[in-house]
């Protein structure tokens, strides 16, 4: 696996565990020689991820849009920064560049991006693995919602067959890459 795309908060969240997890997964990617693809921002968990990957000697590709770049909301030290005209073109490139996807805690931007790649997998547009890093039990309510969705007959495949989930970055990367 050459590159993994990480979706995560442009804010830090209220618990130090979120920052620690973003830094830990960045270090793991660097150690494994896996390029980190992410949204290119220099704020919140996005910044922690990029900084820790780069500090550990890894490569980071940012994929942003012109509007955010104009507002100076991008990381200046990335291995490579792509700037796309629209959010949908940006997301398509993130998907194209990556061999797998992981969501860390974040807000609606993170949810939207993760659910797009999950939906595309369900529809057979790609077969790349999708994972959730369930730091501080942040994603327990989402798992509950997916369980309910499955029970009520709205999921085409059991979600546990489609999404890897772990609270440990090392374990989650092992799941995605095995
Ligand atoms: P959120 O979870 O709402 O904080 O949004 C984070 C997600 O949306 C990230 O995975 C990014 O891809 C995208 N995003 C949010 N803010 C920015 C930003 N300033 N620059 C680039 N991408 C961003």
């Amino acid at each position: 696996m050459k590159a993994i795309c990480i979706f995560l908060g442009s804010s830090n969240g209220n618990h130090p565990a979120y920052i620690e997890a973003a830094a830990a997964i960045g270090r793991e990617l660097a150690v494994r020689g896996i390029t980190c693809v992410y949204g290119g921002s220099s704020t919140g968990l996005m910044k922690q991820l990029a900084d820790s990957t780069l500090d550990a000697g890894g490569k980071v590709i940012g994929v942003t849009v012109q509007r955010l770049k104009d507002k100076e909301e991008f990381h200046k030290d990335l291995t490579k920064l792509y700037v796309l005209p629209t959010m949908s073109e940006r997301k398509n490139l993130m998907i194209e560049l990556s061999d797998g996807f992981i969501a860390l805690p974040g807000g609606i931007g993170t949810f939207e991006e993760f659910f797009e790649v999950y939906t595309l997998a369900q529809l057979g547009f790609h077969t790349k693995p999708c994972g959730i890093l369930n730091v501080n039990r942040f994603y327990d309510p989402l798992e509950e919602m997916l369980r309910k969705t499955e029970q009520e007959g709205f999921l085409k495949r059991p979600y546990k067959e489609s999404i890897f989930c772990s609270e440990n970055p090392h374990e989650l990367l092992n799941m995605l890459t095995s």
Side-chain angles (χ1 to χ4, degrees):
M1 200 171 267
K2 286 199 195 118
I4 292 184
C5 181
I6 312 282
F7 305 124
L8 74 177
S10 54
S11 312
N12 276 327
N14 291 332
H15 198 288
Y18 302 132
I19 293 177
E20 283 159 24
I25 202 148
R27 283 192 299 271
E28 276 281 336
L29 290 172
V31 165
R32 291 171 190 238
I34 298 174
T35 298
C36 171
V37 177
Y38 87 119
S41 171
S42 58
T43 61
L45 298 185
M46 297 177 75
K47 173 178 163 48
Q48 311 289 342
L49 168 75
D51 286 351
S52 71
T53 311
L54 293 167
D55 287 350
K59 291 190 184 138
V60 184
I61 298 179
V63 188
T64 191
V65 283
Q66 192 62 51
R67 193 168 160 276
L68 291 171
K69 178 148 188 282
D70 291 345
K71 287 179 20 187
E72 291 284 309
E73 285 183 30
F74 68 100
H75 198 297
K76 311 265 186 316
D77 303 317
L78 301 178
T79 314
K80 188 163 179 58
L81 181 73
Y82 289 96
V83 186
L84 279 297
T86 65
M87 287 298 272
S88 50
E89 286 167 276
R90 163 184 184 261
K91 214 162 8 153
N92 289 342
L93 182 62
M94 290 169 97
I95 294 170
E96 201 182 303
L97 291 172
S98 308
D99 304 306
F101 310 95
I102 292 177
L104 264 69
I108 53 174
T110 302
F111 302 157
E112 189 268 339
E113 289 165 344
F114 184 74
F115 272 100
E116 170 145 355
V117 295
Y118 181 17
T119 306
L120 290 173
Q122 180 177 255
L123 294 172
F125 283 97
H126 70 78
T127 54
K128 300 173 183 179
C130 301
I132 286 176
L133 189 65
N134 192 12
V135 183
N136 198 29
R137 311 195 72 165
F138 179 80
Y139 278 116
D140 281 5
L142 181 69
E143 274 211 82
E144 179 58 33
M145 190 67 229
L146 289 172
R147 212 175 355 256
K148 177 86 177 165
T149 310
E150 194 175 312
Q151 274 164 7
E152 298 301 316
F154 290 111
L155 269 190
K156 307 224 176 347
R157 276 176 69 197
Y159 78 91
K160 291 216 164 177
E161 286 178 17
S162 311
I163 299 177
F164 295 106
C165 191
S166 171
E167 58 193 49
N168 180 289
H170 183 80
E171 185 181 72
L172 185 60
L173 282 173
N174 283 348
M175 288 169 159
L176 252 79
T177 54
S178 65

